[in-house]
Amino acid sequence: MEVGLIGAAQIARKRAYCRYSGYAVGAALLDESERIHVGCNVENASYGATLCAERSALARLVSEGGRRVRAVAVATQDGAPPCGICLQSLLEFCPDPDQVPVYLVDASGKSRNLTLGSLVPYGFRGRTERA
Ligand code: ZN
């Protein structure tokens, strides 16, 4: 599954709409039903309206009925990790982030295997109830 997930992210990267940054990103997420959902970055002339590849894939996962992210692959030029907003967004669908592999693949195909928990060890989980 790891190879299929990475390949899906690499294909999605080719579809990136990144006319402003020139930095193409593809992401692929594995859900609880072993389905793969892909996304790419979608930039906008109003930069704040830009959508990252990871959140683009997450919107697809949720809209297609998924509720858990079991694995993540991100394809970029240099193997960079997801941004902070995307890490937070992924956490919402990963109750045990230490068990969620994140494969970061660069343009040469070289990949690093981390976990979501290692990338965001103190992620926000909502308001802490007070006694
Ligand atoms: Zn992002």
Side-chain angles (χ1 to χ4, degrees):
M1 184 51 73
E2 173 185 337
V3 172
L5 197 65
I6 289 173
Q10 290 171 315
I11 291 168
R13 180 172 179 253
K14 294 178 181 165
R15 301 179 187 139
Y17 181 78
C18 55
R19 64 182 290 192
Y20 302 101
S21 73
Y23 190 74
V25 183
L29 307 176
L30 183 69
D31 75 10
E32 69 272 33
S33 302
E34 305 293 313
R35 295 178 299 176
I36 292 175
H37 307 270
V38 299
C40 60
N41 50 335
V42 182
E43 294 184 347
N44 192 281
S46 175
Y47 292 1
T50 292
L51 182 61
C52 295
E54 298 88 336
R55 284 179 289 135
S56 163
L58 193 56
R60 261 184 101 157
L61 181 147
V62 173
S63 63
E64 292 173 8
R67 286 297 180 268
R68 290 281 182 272
V69 174
R70 291 276 160 85
V72 179
V74 180
T76 61
Q77 177 66 34
D78 54 359
C83 78
I85 294 172
C86 287
L87 292 172
Q88 179 66 38
S89 296
L90 289 167
L91 265 184
E92 183 77 17
F93 299 93
C94 299
D96 191 355
D98 291 330
Q99 300 302 312
V100 176
V102 178
Y103 307 104
L104 304 175
V105 60
D106 69 18
S108 75
K110 184 179 161 201
S111 69
R112 288 187 291 163
N113 182 3
L114 304 170
T115 66
L116 185 60
S118 72
L119 287 165
V120 57
Y122 302 103
F124 180 67
R125 291 288 188 175
R127 185 177 71 171
T128 302
E129 295 300 327
R130 294 171 195 247

